[in-house]
Amino acid sequence: MREVKFDMLFSRRGALVMLAGACLAGRLMGKRSDSAAKAWLDAQDLRRLVPSFSVPSRERLLRSLNNRALRGQLPAAEVEGIGRAERKQVEALMVDLLPVAQLYARPPISSYRVGAVARGASGSLYWGANLEVPRQPLGYCVHAEQAAVANAFLHDEAGLVALAINAAPCGHCRQFLNELPNAPDLAVLIANHPPATMAALLPAAFGPSNLGMRERLFGGKSFDLELAPSPEEDLTRAALKAACQSYAPYSRSPSGIALRSLAGRTYAGSYIENAAFNPSLPPLQAALVSLIMGGEEPGDITAAVLVEVEDAPISQASAARDALGALAPAVTLRRVPARWKR
Ligand SMILES: [Zn+2]
């Protein structure tokens, strides 16, 4: 995230966009979850964020952004419609939309808002933004690129074809993105720079193939887990489903977390692992991405369940408890052990 700071400081336009985004986001957080049905953005916000868009395109975008059931997805039909109206290629649209993605940033430590827009194989776009956990190690932070990938993954996308970001992705994110099935060909669109491929950004990469792994993120594989006795409660069932869908080919320690919010909604997150281990995205962080994309805040969490395999080589429980304790101190994480289906 540091390089974003420098890029933004040295780019006047970038600095202005960031400042406007920060002011707007601060205001939006104020009006957030008083009513989930209430619009969280209005036409004026959109005029500021995407000034080059026509009024009909802004209205179209506004409808999707205010539809919280979409949870951070801009459906393919909307992307196509806006692209046609604006006479722009989708890659250019993605870069134009970065100030919108920045609204989802929650950076209480750095105050730097990073936005990312991922394009799924279906043609839909997914917002991503940085998320920081106060009073906890920096390793608990989620980078915007990771959030966009997790967002697309949680929407059952088949893969990603492009990713737009404010500034060049950091080494951590390049490593995280290297888990994608088409990693070398992924188009990386950096604002005010020519497009690059991951092959150019991460030469001599270390990835799944170095470990003899054929599986890749978005591969559609799932783990066969069950709970004993079988779960009755919705939240536990959602955490189990997220655990089954997690990507953990290296540790074989699938896990999932489901959060319940004040509004009574459920947000589930699956663990996303990496060949180099450290840029792995824990299930709590993935669930938090979904929660923020759904227009709610970590302080709105009322219950949390972690499902992970009993006696697996790794556990998410203690880190998830620490992070949750910093974000929603009144909530106790319930850990429900799962077993492999026989
Ligand atoms: Zn990064």
Side-chain angles (χ1 to χ4, degrees):
M1 277 180 292
R2 279 300 114 176
E3 79 274 26
V4 174
K5 182 177 178 179
F6 279 95
D7 254 21
M8 297 309 276
L9 281 177
F10 287 111
S11 145
R12 193 163 164 265
R13 186 171 170 269
L16 288 173
V17 165
M18 186 170 263
L19 192 65
C23 295
L24 181 54
R27 185 164 64 71
L28 293 172
M29 280 181 72
K31 62 176 171 178
R32 54 170 173 98
S33 60
D34 17 14
S35 162
K38 244 190 230 172
W40 69 293
L41 284 168
D42 56 32
Q44 248 187 344
D45 297 330
L46 264 278
R47 201 169 55 194
R48 213 170 316 162
L49 291 165
V50 279
S52 67
F53 281 21
S54 63
V55 173
S57 293
R58 287 206 292 258
E59 281 171 358
R60 197 165 189 161
L61 178 61
L62 192 61
R63 276 195 297 276
S64 287
L65 287 167
N66 281 331
N67 181 354
R68 293 177 179 206
L70 288 174
R71 296 194 177 186
Q73 181 198 53
L74 186 60
E78 301 303 313
V79 178
E80 232 174 87
I82 295 172
R84 216 179 306 121
E86 300 305 308
R87 296 180 186 184
K88 277 191 177 178
Q89 299 287 327
V90 66
E91 290 80 8
L93 275 187
M94 289 167 72
V95 172
D96 285 348
L97 289 169
L98 286 169
V100 175
Q102 282 178 289
L103 291 180
Y104 293 99
R106 298 292 180 269
I109 302 167
S110 70
S111 300
Y112 283 99
R113 306 187 152 268
V114 189
V117 179
R119 186 186 184 199
S122 70
S124 293
L125 299 184
Y126 298 90
W127 312 111
N130 55 326
L131 164 70
E132 297 169 357
V133 183
R135 300 178 299 282
Q136 291 294 326
L138 292 178
Y140 289 5
C141 297
V142 181
H143 291 201
E145 298 89 322
Q146 290 182 293
V149 170
N151 187 6
F153 187 70
L154 295 173
H155 276 89
D156 295 326
E157 260 296 341
L160 294 189
V161 293
L163 183 72
I165 337 156
N166 298 101
C170 74
H172 171 96
C173 286
R174 293 177 200 207
Q175 182 64 41
F176 187 79
L177 294 167
N178 197 37
E179 215 65 35
L180 294 168
N182 58 332
D185 302 322
L186 180 78
V188 180
L189 315 165
I190 305 162
N192 306 316
H193 289 274
T197 62
M198 272 290 290
L201 294 172
L202 192 67
F206 173 84
S209 50
N210 295 88
L211 297 174
M213 197 62 68
R214 301 179 78 154
E215 197 181 334
R216 297 290 186 276
L217 184 59
F218 291 96
K221 271 196 178 177
S222 63
F223 291 101
D224 276 340
L225 303 177
E226 62 182 6
L227 303 178
S230 62
E232 289 305 316
E233 196 225 336
D234 282 1
L235 202 58
T236 308
R237 260 201 298 265
L240 173 66
K241 188 175 172 217
C244 290
Q245 290 172 341
S246 62
Y247 174 74
Y250 307 105
S251 70
R252 304 278 303 159
S253 305
S255 60
I257 279 190
L259 306 171
R260 166 111 344 116
S261 71
L262 268 179
R265 295 204 185 83
T266 300
Y267 298 95
S270 301
Y271 174 47
I272 300 177
E273 206 160 67
N274 189 271
F277 285 11
N278 283 338
S280 299
L281 189 72
L284 174 67
Q285 276 76 345
L288 288 168
V289 167
S290 182
L291 173 102
I292 289 166
M293 294 300 156
E296 299 200 59
E297 299 297 327
D300 297 337
I301 300 168
T302 57
V305 173
L306 161 68
V307 167
E308 61 181 3
V309 179
E310 184 74 344
D311 301 324
I314 65 165
S315 168
Q316 304 292 338
S318 56
R321 283 201 180 104
D322 286 348
L324 196 64
L327 295 166
V331 179
T332 305
L333 178 74
R334 192 154 57 85
R335 178 181 179 271
V336 180
R339 64 186 185 197
W340 297 103
K341 254 189 206 168
R342 287 167 222 277

